[in-house]
Amino acid sequence: MQFQFPLQKALQTNQNGINVISASNSRRNCYLDEVIDRMGEASAIAQQLKQIITTASKFYGSDQRIYLKADGKDCLGLLKVGKKNLFYRDYSGSIKELQPLCVLDFYVHESVQRMGVGKELFEEMLKSEQIKPEKLAYDRPSQKLIGFLNKHYNLNQYVPQNNNFVIFNQYFGQGTQPIVQGRSQKYSRNSQIDQLDIMVQQISQNKMNQQQQPQQKLGYQMSPPWAIDNNTNIYNNINTQRTNVYKIN
Ligand code: ACO
């Protein structure tokens, strides 16, 4: 994506043309705001999202980091990470509360996709965050990102969650887990899983009630959270999926 100004004006890139911007430490400037806003918008269009996930104003109110790859006046890619509080249900139905670092937005400009830019950005992020790909959670990964993770990092098995975050089985130190097979097994599990959903909603609601008591006195109504954004309090409700283990071929 081309800008009217050399991106060095906005970014301090390393020898690979990659710059990391920390919302809490970096100085905000109008050039950088434009780069973040336009790349965020392009990412939302590429993922066919109804809302833009990444804007400069949202970013600077968070504790997230953005990695940008630049080349002269072109911005080639954006990768945003940040921590989230998530409830995770494993294949056996047990529920865990986790605070993983998450890949929240990832976009490479259409003109340079499938040319290694995504891998370069991702590797830079792994190095800087000192983390392995399996120790990250992925927010509603697109098919392209699923393919990317499978190809480069052999990540391909996970239990789908109601909150649409993907945490691969390797996160828990497991290469593979038994794959639930056959209709009867799947269907017999559903009522137990519905009960678990209700339990999780109740646990979450109790937790919220404790945290939100002063606001409730003022008449606020909160819906039960599944995933809690540490900074912006975005809540994703439980509603759709059943537990199953997915294997991508
Ligand atoms: N179709 C299927 N797989 C793809 C595609 C595609 N159009 N593009 C990339 N991939 C996967 C494939 O595994 C590909 O390997 P292959 O070409 O041998 O099949 C591999 O990624 C290529 O690796 P890179 O070149 O390093 O990746 P790239 O620079 O294309 O970046 C990215 C990957 C970020 C997913 C990019 O394709 C993109 O921006 N896509 C559109 C936006 C998007 O879907 N972003 C992820 C949203 S989910 C989230 O942000 C949490």
Side-chain angles (χ1 to χ4, degrees):
M1 176 179 291
Q2 198 161 66
F3 290 83
Q4 299 295 323
F5 48 88
L7 291 189
Q8 289 87 324
K9 215 168 178 166
L11 310 170
Q12 287 173 333
T13 52
N14 66 12
Q15 71 276 14
N16 302 324
I18 295 178
N19 180 243
V20 52
I21 307 149
S22 164
S24 46
N25 296 337
S26 304
R27 264 215 171 145
R28 197 169 169 177
N29 69 63
C30 59
Y31 298 107
L32 190 50
D33 280 11
E34 184 181 339
V35 176
I36 293 172
D37 284 344
R38 283 186 53 201
M39 289 297 283
E41 188 182 356
S43 177
I45 292 169
Q47 296 177 58
Q48 301 179 321
L49 301 175
K50 287 183 190 143
Q51 278 191 328
I52 300 174
I53 301 172
T54 304
T55 65
S57 54
K58 281 187 208 167
F59 173 66
Y60 283 105
S62 75
D63 63 351
Q64 299 165 352
R65 268 92 52 216
I66 288 181
Y67 293 79
L68 288 170
K69 163 102 176 158
D71 182 15
K73 290 184 175 179
D74 291 313
C75 188
L76 306 182
L78 169 149
L79 171 57
K80 184 175 78 173
V81 296
K83 284 211 165 174
K84 295 268 179 183
N85 204 46
L86 301 176
F87 287 97
Y88 171 85
R89 186 172 57 202
D90 72 16
Y91 71 97
S92 70
S94 313
I95 290 155
K96 298 180 174 73
E97 190 174 358
L98 308 169
Q99 287 88 30
L101 185 68
C102 303
V103 174
L104 301 170
D105 201 3
F106 191 14
Y107 168 69
V108 168
H109 191 261
E110 282 72 9
S111 61
V112 286
Q113 280 180 18
R114 283 187 139 158
M115 292 167 67
V117 173
K119 173 95 188 302
E120 226 184 309
L121 262 173
F122 201 83
E123 286 287 321
E124 192 69 35
M125 179 275 293
L126 295 177
K127 202 167 74 180
S128 172
E129 304 287 337
Q130 299 194 312
I131 196 164
K132 293 186 170 164
E134 64 271 23
K135 287 291 180 186
L136 291 156
Y138 299 86
D139 187 4
R140 295 165 204 263
S142 63
Q143 281 311 308
K144 290 183 185 180
L145 181 55
I146 290 281
F148 173 93
L149 293 168
N150 188 25
K151 174 182 170 154
H152 294 305
Y153 303 106
N154 202 26
L155 292 173
N156 49 37
Q157 288 194 35
Y158 62 94
V159 181
Q161 305 292 307
N162 293 308
N163 56 19
N164 293 323
F165 274 81
V166 164
I167 297 179
F168 288 96
N169 292 351
Q170 287 95 325
Y171 181 96
F172 304 99
Q174 300 147 346
T176 56
Q177 287 181 342
I179 295 173
V180 179
Q181 283 171 343
R183 283 174 70 88
S184 58
Q185 228 176 323
K186 262 195 231 168
Y187 281 76
S188 66
R189 290 167 54 83
N190 279 355
S191 63
Q192 289 170 14
I193 287 160
D194 286 340
Q195 283 173 14
L196 278 165
D197 277 349
I198 292 162
M199 275 171 56
V200 169
Q201 277 178 320
Q202 283 170 347
I203 294 165
S204 303
Q205 185 66 64
N206 288 343
K207 200 168 173 173
M208 280 302 303
N209 288 343
Q210 282 164 11
Q211 285 169 356
Q212 300 295 332
Q213 261 168 7
Q215 287 188 346
Q216 281 182 341
K217 279 184 196 150
L218 297 171
Y220 284 83
Q221 291 228 329
M222 307 299 293
S223 51
W226 179 263
I228 303 170
D229 186 310
N230 287 335
N231 296 291
T232 52
N233 281 346
I234 295 168
Y235 302 99
N236 300 323
N237 292 330
I238 298 170
N239 46 23
T240 47
Q241 293 178 314
R242 299 270 67 86
T243 297
N244 234 327
V245 176
Y246 274 30
K247 166 91 175 78
I248 302 141
N249 296 312

